[in-house]
């Protein structure tokens, strides 16, 4: 059984606080096989290190990258948050989606870009929102979409290059984050109160726990992560 340890630090303010932490894997560092690229994608790596599978990015210290962390329950009912004016961006770089996981708002512009000299496409496997499949030949302008309903995770694929995967969460509030290469995350300006904090990873699965966010300063939360795929996003 693999386990994850989540360390939460609450820097208190009068009405809101940042919630930060580190997510680690309690187990051996996963192996990352070389990707089996198509000939046109291999050319994009001439003189560069050959890419490896990115499903489980875990450091030698067990720190996990690309875990989506968010407040699942506890926010005031009926409160609305304005969507950012800046578009969220999914870029196709050297036959990889960048970033691999991100959160965006309901109603926010979602821009899809092809920075490669070869053709790609973006196909969404959404269920609450209308799925789409957009081809993006080299040199074409960014394409924009908007999601009208909360949903997550939504898997995105490229049919030309089967290893290309990305995941998005369409959120109705701003209290979410994605862990970096050191397993760190910060959810900013969370109002004081009691919440269900949830985490999701594409292969390790999901977890959740009740947290109390107050003015007590340091707070620690431990997660035991049961690896599984999929998430019923409430």
């Amino acid at each position: 059984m693999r386990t994850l340890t989540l360390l939460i630090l609450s820097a208190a303010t009068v009405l809101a606080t940042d919630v930060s932490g580190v997510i680690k894997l309690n187990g051996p560092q996963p192996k990352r096989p070389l990707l089996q690229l198509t000939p046109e994608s291999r050319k994009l790596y001439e003189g560069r290190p050959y890419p490896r599978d990115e499903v489980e990015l875990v450091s030698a210290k067990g720190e996990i990258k690309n875990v989506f962390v968010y407040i699942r329950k506890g926010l005031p009912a009926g409160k609305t948050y304005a969507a950012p004016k800046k578009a969220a961006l999914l870029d196709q770089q050297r036959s990889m989606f960048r970033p691999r996981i991100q959160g965006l708002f309901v109603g926010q512009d979602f821009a899809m870009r092809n920075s490669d000299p070869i053709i790609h496409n973006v196909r969404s496997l959404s269920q609450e929102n209308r799925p789409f499949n957009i081809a993006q030949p080299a040199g074409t302008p960014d394409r924009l979409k908007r999601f009208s309903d909360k949903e997550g995770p939504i898997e995105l694929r490229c049919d030309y290059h089967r290893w290309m995967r990305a995941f998005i969460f369409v959120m109705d509030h701003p209290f979410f984050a994605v862990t970096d290469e050191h397993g760190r995350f910060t959810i900013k300006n969370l109002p004081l109160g009691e919440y269900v904090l949830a985490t999701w990873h594409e292969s390790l699965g999901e977890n959740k726990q009740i947290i109390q966010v107050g003015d007590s300063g340091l707070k620690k939360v431990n997660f035991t992560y049961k690896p599984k795929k999929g998430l019923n996003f409430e």
Side-chain angles (χ1 to χ4, degrees), residues 26-51:
N26 184 6
Q29 186 177 20
K31 296 181 179 179
R32 296 179 54 206
L34 292 172
L35 292 177
Q36 300 300 309
L37 303 183
T38 56
E40 69 272 13
S41 294
R42 285 199 296 269
K43 291 180 181 179
L44 303 177
Y45 287 88
E46 291 179 352
R48 298 177 181 272
Y50 207 69

Side-chain angles (χ1 to χ4, degrees), residues 154-202:
I154 299 174
E155 184 176 355
L156 305 176
R157 296 181 181 179
C158 174
D159 298 310
Y160 293 98
H161 309 102
R162 301 288 180 156
W163 61 88
M164 291 178 65
R165 294 284 190 277
F167 300 87
I168 57 175
F169 279 75
V170 183
M171 306 292 290
D172 59 0
H173 65 73
F175 305 111
F176 57 84
V178 179
T179 57
D180 63 14
E181 64 272 18
H182 300 293
R184 300 173 302 196
F185 72 90
T186 299
I187 296 176
K188 293 184 174 295
N189 299 319
L190 182 64
L192 308 187
E194 181 179 284
Y195 300 96
V196 175
L197 181 70
T199 66
W200 180 90
H201 183 274
E202 62 180 286

Side-chain angles (χ1 to χ4, degrees), residues 15-17 73-74 190-196 210-215 219:
L15 297 176
T17 184
K73 289 183 180 180
L190 182 64
L192 308 187
E194 181 179 284
Y195 300 96
V196 175
I210 295 174
I211 62 169
Q212 295 282 347
V213 179
D215 56 3
K219 188 173 183 66

